[in-house]
């Protein structure tokens, strides 16, 4: 599509009563022309998010040490591609430390995320002496310490990044040994920047220097730098904006959860139906080693919490034979959460996989070598992200990982066990047929629900659940890490996590509750739970515990917030079903007489040793 046509669509979307153009963000990204993206990003500031498919909102503050005029419009488009409408505030020149150090500087805007842009000119003093690297090192470490002090005092979610050293600074040192020492010193500085994310829970880091290694673009245009202190070229601004958009998506818990892979000429070379299980290409030299590398990368994703599934038009017996017996395979049946191997259309099979895993289609990434299959899924299931693995199989891994579909803020023990948890759930579903009634089956499970107050170990998992849970969430608005931490530390609030175990194994932390305590009433600000444990009475048991705590503290009412999101239908019926009545914008449950909410087939464990998260 021509640039003028794309910009005309953007202008049309800003008109009153315009028809929604849900494909516009993706078409803009596909166009890839930076001048067009910059202009479109500025125009999109006036376009309502729903008009271009955005269902979530994010407030982003951009503050830095240099001029980066292109980041905001490019970031807006990158976030829209993820279904996120951004409200962006850009600070003035070199306001980074001042904005973070002054509690009032950002307070009025109340950003969800602060992007901190750094350049080497802020770290390196003008006219430094290349023969005195000790003095340079002292200055660099002092600048990082200044930044750290400002970050330590700011409690909101922050993204910092490593800083590339400009060629003028690097090549200005003529001695090879001194240049090597400068390189070591610069890497120490970048290591300190990365370490800030380890020392401060609200600080996150992007290794921009490492990302630029794979990009054949100059970091800065010297003329623009001297004229307007623009430390990044537009290409670097675009790279950063896309990475920052992935970060914003992770903050909102919108990362993809499932990688669905085709088989023939995707996970292995050749066609198993034609070549036989022994004839497919995997392992050894090229191209088999390309398919092995994709398998290894898929398994690595699985170990970090990404669910793997197959969607292939194939004979299921042949596929099972390859998975079980091929000696060079790195990915095995136990790595898979689900399989759809048959001769049905792939868009239908993806719907079935979503039902089986109890996840929305917008949690899926589908990778296939067939242009037809990718086009079919892209057209009929727009929520599914697609990766076309055409051409050289050596590029398969790069294509699957390129867009950061699965980027999250952190991984937990529950993430690392996720495939096993889903496989155990499938075992439970198969076992239910042996019982006469659902209640008889539930009693046989020996369900135990462990509830405790959140601590440093469980807090990342609680924040993750608040952001990622779509179905059983009472408000759809996640509590930030800073807000959750403040509630955990406050005597007037309560932040709880809970895990579930039964005769099939442990589920890990599957939910949480945020509560405000009052003298007369306690208010459940939000209550989230993983879809993995639906229909077992877990949510009833947890709410019983909260109600008992409130009643023991002298409260006479347990109130609860609820806001429909369009996705939280499973949660909508819960409060009325256990006795709450709607009162204005809230639901309320009398605590006198004390309500009986918990089912008889669960056992509540309170407190105890911290659980794996």
């Amino acid at each position: 599509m021509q640039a003028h046509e794309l910009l005309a669509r953007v202008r049309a979307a800003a008109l009153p009563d315009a028809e929604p153009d849900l494909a516009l963000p993706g078409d803009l990204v596909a166009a890839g022309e930076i001048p067009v993206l910059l202009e479109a990003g500025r125009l999109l500031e006036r376009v309502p998010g729903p008009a271009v498919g955005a269902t979530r909102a994010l407030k982003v503050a951009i503050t830095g040490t240099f001029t980066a005029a292109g980041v905001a419009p490019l970031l807006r488009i990158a976030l829209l591609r993820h279904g996120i409408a951004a409200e962006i505030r850009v600070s003035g020149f070199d306001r980074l430390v001042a904005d973070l150090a002054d509690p009032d500087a950002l307070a009025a805007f109340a950003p969800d995320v602060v992007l901190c842009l750094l350049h080497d000119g802020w770290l390196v003093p003008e006219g430094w002496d290349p023969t005195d690297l000790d003095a340079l090192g002292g200055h660099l470490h002092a600048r990082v310490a200044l930044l750290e002090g400002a970050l330590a005092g700011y409690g909101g979610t922050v993204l910092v990044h490593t800083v590339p050293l400009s060629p003028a600074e690097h090549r200005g040192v003529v001695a090879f040994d001194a240049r090597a020492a400068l390189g070591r010193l610069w890497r120490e500085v970048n290591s300190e920047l990365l370490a800030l994310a380890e020392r401060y829970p609200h600080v996150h880091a992007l290794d921009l220097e490492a990302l630029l290694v794979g990009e054949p673009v100059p970091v800065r245009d010297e003329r623009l730098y001297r004229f307007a202190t623009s430390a990044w070229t537009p290409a670097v601004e675009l790279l950063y904006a896309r990475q920052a958009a992935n970060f914003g998506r992770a903050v909102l818990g919108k990362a993809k959860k499932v990688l669905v892979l085709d088989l023939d000429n995707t996970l292995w070379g050749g066609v198993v139906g034609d070549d036989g299980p022994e004839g497919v290409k995997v392992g050894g030299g090229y191209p088999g080693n390309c398919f092995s590398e994709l398998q290894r990368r898929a398994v690595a994703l699985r170990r970090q919490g990404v669910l793997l599934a197959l969607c292939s038009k194939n004979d299921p017996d042949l596929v099972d034979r390859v998975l079980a017996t091929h000696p060079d395979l790195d990915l095995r049946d136990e790595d898979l959460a689900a399989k759809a191997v048959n001769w049905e259309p792939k868009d239908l099979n993806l719907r079935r996989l979503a039902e089986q895993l109890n996840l929305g289609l917008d949690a899926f990434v589908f990778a296939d070598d067939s242009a037809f299959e990718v086009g079919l899924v892209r057209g009929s299931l727009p929520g599914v992200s697609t990766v076309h693995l055409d051409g050289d199989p050596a590029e398969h891994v790069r294509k699957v990982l390129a867009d950061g579909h699965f980027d999250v803020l952190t991984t937990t023990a529950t993430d690392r066990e996720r495939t096993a948890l889903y496989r155990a759930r499938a075992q439970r579903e198969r076992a239910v047929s042996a019982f006469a009634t659902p209640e008889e089956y539930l009693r046989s499970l020996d369900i135990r629900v462990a509830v405790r107050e959140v601590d440093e170990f469980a807090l990342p998992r609680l924040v993750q659940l608040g952001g990622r849970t779509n179905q059983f969430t009472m408000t759809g608005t996640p509590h930030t890490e800073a807000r959750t931490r403040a509630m955990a530390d406050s005597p007037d609030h309560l932040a709880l996590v809970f895990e579930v175990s039964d005769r099939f194994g442990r589920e890990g932390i599957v939910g949480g509750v945020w509560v405000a305590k009052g003298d007369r009433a306690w208010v459940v600000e939000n209550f989230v739970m993983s879809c993995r444990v639906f229909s077992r009475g877990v949510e009833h048991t947890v709410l019983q515990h909260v109600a008992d705590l409130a009643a023991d503290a002298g409260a006479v009412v347990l109130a609860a917030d609820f806001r429909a999101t369009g996705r939280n239908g499973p949660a909508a019926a819960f409060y009325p079903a256990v006795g709450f009545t709607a009162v204005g914008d809230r639901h309320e449950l009398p605590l006198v007489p004390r309500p009986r909410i918990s089912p008889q087939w669960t056992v509540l464990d309170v407190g105890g040793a911290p659980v794996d998260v």
Side-chain angles (χ1 to χ4, degrees), residues 151-152 154-158 196-204 409-410 453-464 478-497 513-515 525:
L151 288 168
Y154 180 77
T157 301
V158 170
L196 294 173
E198 300 175 13
R199 290 199 287 272
Y200 302 98
H202 65 287
V203 177
H204 303 269
L409 296 183
T410 188
E453 294 187 28
V454 72
D455 57 19
E456 284 293 331
F457 299 100
L459 191 140
R461 174 62 176 161
L462 177 58
V463 174
Q464 181 190 68
H479 283 64
T480 64
E481 182 177 308
R483 174 61 178 159
T484 301
R485 188 179 301 278
M487 291 181 70
D489 294 338
S490 167
D492 299 323
H493 295 85
L494 189 65
L496 300 173
V497 293
V513 190
W514 293 259
V515 182
E525 295 183 1

Side-chain angles (χ1 to χ4, degrees), residues 175-199:
F176 275 90
D177 55 354
R179 192 181 294 165
L182 173 62
R184 175 188 54 76
L185 182 59
W186 195 254
R187 284 161 181 79
E188 287 178 2
V189 168
N190 277 327
S191 292
E192 288 182 25
L193 291 171
L194 294 172
L196 294 173
E198 300 175 13
R199 290 199 287 272

Side-chain angles (χ1 to χ4, degrees), residues 38 42 62-75 88-94 115-119 161 224-225 228-234 236-238 240-241:
L38 288 168
R42 296 183 184 102
I62 300 176
T63 182
T65 62
F66 62 97
T67 303
V71 169
L74 295 172
L75 176 64
I88 302 175
R89 174 191 182 273
V90 182
S91 289
F93 173 73
D94 198 16
L115 305 181
C116 301
L117 309 187
L118 294 159
H119 78 302
H161 61 83
L224 286 175
Y225 182 63
T229 324
S230 296
W232 290 348
T233 59
V236 175
E237 290 180 330
L238 178 60
Y240 176 84

Side-chain angles (χ1 to χ4, degrees), residues 105-149:
L106 299 172
F109 181 61
D112 300 305
V113 170
V114 179
L115 305 181
C116 301
L117 309 187
L118 294 159
H119 78 302
D120 62 337
W122 184 78
L123 292 162
V124 178
E126 287 189 357
W128 64 279
D129 183 353
T131 67
D132 190 356
L133 291 181
D134 288 340
L136 175 64
H139 182 87
L140 294 175
H141 293 305
R143 296 298 271 178
V144 174
L146 175 65
L147 174 64
E148 180 175 1

Side-chain angles (χ1 to χ4, degrees), residues 413-456:
T414 300
D415 294 324
R416 294 186 285 273
E417 297 170 2
R418 181 164 285 115
T419 295
L421 299 175
Y422 272 82
R423 291 173 69 89
R425 188 176 75 175
Q427 288 182 302
R428 294 183 185 94
E429 292 172 353
R430 289 193 293 268
V432 70
S433 61
F435 294 88
T437 66
E439 184 173 334
E440 181 183 339
Y441 166 67
L442 289 167
R443 289 181 182 278
S444 78
L445 289 177
D446 299 325
I447 300 170
R448 303 188 72 89
V449 182
V451 185
R452 65 184 177 89
E453 294 187 28
V454 72
D455 57 19
E456 284 293 331

